[in-house]
């Protein structure tokens, strides 16, 4: 897998929500009263990413008296463990992953401690623009750990070969440019869309919907994409039409998000990805051993219906499960882990020996500024500006508790429309009916 912070997120989300009985036995037993002790204790951090450098963890232990045992588990398996342990009311970790898409589920089911109980989240939010993606009904379920958000990337060399010098600011101009790149024979299939039935297809549609000027659900979970005039409807039709009109490679119906970034964008067989991941320029496209397009790919402001569109959030956070043994100690660790100084260190601002593998884009504006000033974040100024001014949550009122089932309906039906087994309108209707069913509680 490419050195990207975003982990492959697929149908395992559903497995994590439903196959609890199969895995609960694999969780650690225990779950007695939580201790407020913060010195001379050992906490367990179970995360999807690699740990910070040992020297940094040792320094934290020396300063606080808290020892950290860090375990890395693949993202899908980790979500299953979180659900299984919470359902069985057993301890499995003091600190673990909180993905933005599961905030509704984790919050509604009361599986995690509200972080405002332990940290000054209001103060932190001023430096962390994506805090609202982890907030539900006034409670902060997790602290943003990275600053992943959806961005549009273009290979400017390929655009230039097609005679395009001015980057598009509207979807109309963007589509026109795609057709020009194809007609000029620069690349046969200029647009990368990952049509495999996986989470990456859902997030691509969310970002495209935002670009068309709309939202997915309202505050009560009701679908906002049923009308042909709605942004979500137009976004789905635009994506399917791009495939049918030969702007997207036919084989992309079986290509997942990270695979398309690695094998199409990074190899120069696609000229642009409308919904890419922040950080991919520096962590993938400009890495010679994984890319043939070094120094050719750039972030551009996302083209929208009438002008520049927002960038929707896609971050991972970190939180404290309700069965944690040492929640106060866990909170101290999270405060340290997400501090501006440590985020800048982990992302590479202050030397390779302080880098946390796989960590590229800090969640704090101050850490982004330090990293950008250090020269160790490719196109850092562009990313910093986007993080500060144009990022928005996918669901402004918080992700619904039934998000995993909804997302499955989204990517399953969009994939079916791409393969031709459904029309785009039939796919949208099925997605809408699923949202209505889930929102009604039936």
């Amino acid at each position: 897998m490419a050195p990207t912070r975003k982990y492959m997120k697929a149908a395992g989300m559903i497995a994590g929500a439903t196959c609890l009985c199969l895995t609960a036995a694999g969780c650690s037993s225990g779950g007695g009263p939580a201790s407020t002790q913060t010195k001379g204790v050992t906490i367990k951090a179970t995360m999807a990413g690699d740990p910070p450098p040992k020297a940094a963890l040792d320094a934290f232990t020396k300063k606080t008296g808290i020892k950290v045992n860090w375990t890395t588990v693949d993202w899908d398996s980790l979500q299953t463990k979180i659900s299984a342990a919470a359902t069985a009311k057993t301890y499995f970790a003091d600190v673990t992953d909180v993905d933005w898409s599961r905030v509704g589920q984790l919050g509604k089911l009361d599986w995690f401690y509200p972080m405002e109980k332990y940290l000054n989240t209001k103060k932190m939010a001023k430096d962390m623009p994506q805090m609202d993606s982890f907030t539900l009904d006034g409670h902060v379920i997790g602290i943003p750990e990275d600053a992943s958000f959806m961005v549009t990337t273009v290979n400017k060399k390929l655009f230039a070969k097609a005679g395009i010098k001015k980057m598009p600011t509207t979807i109309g101009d963007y589509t026109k440019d795609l057709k020009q790149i194809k007609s000029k024979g620069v690349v046969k299939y200029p647009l990368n869309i990952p049509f495999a039935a996986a989470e990456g297809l859902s997030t691509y549609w969310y970002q495209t919907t935002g670009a068309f000027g709309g939202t997915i659900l309202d505050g009560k979970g009701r679908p906002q994409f049923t009308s042909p005039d709605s942004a979500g409807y137009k976004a789905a039709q635009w994506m399917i039409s791009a495939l049918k009109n030969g702007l997207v490679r036919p084989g992309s119906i079986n290509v997942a998000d990270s695979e398309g970034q690695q094998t199409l964008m990074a190899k120069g067989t696609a000229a642009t990805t409308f919904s890419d991941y922040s950080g991919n320029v520096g962590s993938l496209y400009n890495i010679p051993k994984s890319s043939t397009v070094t120094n050719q790919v750039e972030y551009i402001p996302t083209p929208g219906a009438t002008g520049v569109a927002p960038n929707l959030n896609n971050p991972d956070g970190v939180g404290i499960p309700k069965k944690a043994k040492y929640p106060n100690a866990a909170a101290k660790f999270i405060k340290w882990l997400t501090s501006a100084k440590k985020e800048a260190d982990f992302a590479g601002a202050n030397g390779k020996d302080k880098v946390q593998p796989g960590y590229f884009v800090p969640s704090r504006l101050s850490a982004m500024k330090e990293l950008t000033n250090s020269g160790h974040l490719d196109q850092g100024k562009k990313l910093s500006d986007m993080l500060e001014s144009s990022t928005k949550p996918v669901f402004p009122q918080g992700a619904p508790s039934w998000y995993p089932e909804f997302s499955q309906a989204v990517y399953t039906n969009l994939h079916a429309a791409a393969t031709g087994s459904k029309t785009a309108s039939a796919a949208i209707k099925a997605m809408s009916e699923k949202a209505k069913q889930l929102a009604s509680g039936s």
Side-chain angles (χ1 to χ4, degrees):
M1 184 171 178
T4 174
R5 184 68 174 174
K6 293 307 332 168
Y7 323 103
M8 185 72 76
K9 301 173 181 178
M13 294 180 68
I14 301 301
T18 58
C19 300
L20 309 181
C21 59
L22 299 178
T23 54
C27 299
S28 301
S29 61
S35 169
T36 59
Q37 189 175 348
T38 59
K39 289 187 179 297
V41 301
T42 298
I43 62 172
K44 184 177 180 182
T46 304
M47 304 292 290
D50 290 329
K54 183 177 182 300
L57 291 174
D58 288 346
F60 172 75
T61 299
K62 184 177 181 180
K63 181 178 180 180
T64 63
I66 300 169
K67 182 179 179 181
V68 181
N69 283 341
W70 183 292
T71 302
T72 301
V73 179
D74 72 89
W75 192 88
D76 281 332
S77 298
L78 179 55
Q79 303 313 310
T80 302
K81 285 180 177 291
I82 292 170
S83 299
T87 302
K89 300 186 185 305
T90 57
Y91 166 81
F92 93 104
D94 298 282
V95 175
T96 194
D97 176 88
V98 176
D99 187 77
W100 73 269
S101 66
R102 299 198 67 200
V103 166
Q105 188 180 46
L106 302 179
K108 290 291 184 184
L109 296 176
D110 198 29
W111 285 355
F112 277 61
Y113 282 107
M115 292 306 301
E116 70 271 15
K117 179 179 179 181
Y118 299 99
L119 302 175
N120 188 342
T121 54
K122 289 185 178 179
K123 182 179 180 181
M124 296 172 79
K126 295 177 181 178
D127 200 31
M128 293 177 157
Q130 295 180 312
M131 187 75 85
D132 49 3
S133 287
F134 295 92
T135 303
L136 183 73
D137 298 333
H139 297 298
V140 178
I141 310 303
I143 301 298
E145 188 190 6
D146 64 24
S148 180
F149 49 90
M150 277 81 91
V151 295
T152 298
T153 51
V154 299
N155 184 319
K156 284 200 168 181
K157 183 176 180 180
L158 298 180
F159 271 60
K161 277 188 177 180
I164 302 166
K165 297 180 179 179
K166 182 183 178 183
M167 290 299 105
T169 58
T170 67
I171 292 177
D173 287 343
Y174 183 77
T175 306
K176 181 181 176 183
D177 289 346
L178 292 173
K179 292 177 179 177
Q180 185 167 324
I181 292 168
K182 183 177 178 67
S183 67
K184 296 278 186 180
V186 176
V187 291
K188 191 172 183 179
Y189 304 111
L191 178 60
N192 170 36
I193 298 180
F195 274 110
E199 177 70 9
L201 179 54
S202 297
T203 54
Y204 205 109
W205 176 62
Y206 304 152
Q207 172 64 17
T208 309
T209 297
F212 272 94
T215 57
I216 306 298
L217 306 170
D218 68 8
K220 295 183 178 179
R222 293 174 298 205
Q224 301 299 293
F225 50 86
T226 55
S227 168
D229 292 332
S230 66
Y233 198 106
K234 291 178 180 176
Q237 281 200 318
W238 181 81
M239 291 169 61
I240 301 300
S241 294
L243 177 67
K244 303 301 182 188
N245 293 333
L247 298 178
V248 177
R249 177 175 167 267
S252 290
I253 59 172
N254 293 316
V255 171
D257 53 358
S258 59
E259 184 183 1
Q261 294 152 10
Q262 295 165 37
T263 63
L264 301 177
M265 276 298 290
K267 301 303 180 185
T269 57
T272 176
T273 299
F274 189 78
S275 179
D276 208 330
Y277 292 134
S278 55
N280 266 358
V281 170
S283 63
L284 175 61
Y285 304 136
N286 282 350
I287 304 297
K289 67 180 181 181
S290 60
S291 170
T292 61
V293 295
T294 54
N295 301 316
Q296 296 178 24
V297 179
E298 294 188 7
Y299 305 110
I300 65 168
T302 299
T306 57
V308 173
N311 302 90
L312 300 189
N313 294 333
N314 188 32
D316 279 276
V318 57
I320 307 172
K322 276 290 180 72
K323 298 306 291 185
K325 291 181 179 178
Y326 301 106
N328 293 68
K332 281 198 167 188
F333 177 64
I334 291 173
K335 182 179 181 180
W336 174 84
L337 185 73
T338 60
S339 66
K341 176 174 175 47
K342 288 297 115 184
E343 287 196 349
D345 284 350
F346 297 156
N350 300 303
K352 293 182 178 180
D353 60 325
K354 296 180 180 178
V355 169
Q356 179 181 0
Y359 188 84
F360 301 108
V361 185
S363 65
R364 287 184 177 271
L365 290 170
S366 54
M368 281 281 280
K369 184 177 181 180
E370 181 177 348
L371 182 62
T372 299
N373 291 339
S374 76
H376 291 98
L377 178 62
D378 289 5
Q379 300 175 41
K381 179 67 167 58
K382 289 183 179 179
L383 290 176
S384 295
D385 290 346
M386 290 180 188
L387 176 61
E388 184 170 14
S389 61
S390 65
T391 55
K392 291 185 177 180
V394 174
F395 303 108
Q397 293 81 15
S401 59
W402 36 264
Y403 174 79
E405 293 165 274
F406 173 66
S407 178
Q408 185 186 45
V410 170
Y411 63 67
T412 299
N413 282 287
L414 289 179
H415 174 75
T419 63
S421 62
K422 280 186 178 179
T423 63
S425 60
I428 293 168
K429 182 179 180 182
M431 291 152 54
S432 174
E433 290 176 348
K434 187 65 176 180
K436 291 176 182 176
Q437 175 201 335
L438 293 167
S440 68
S442 59

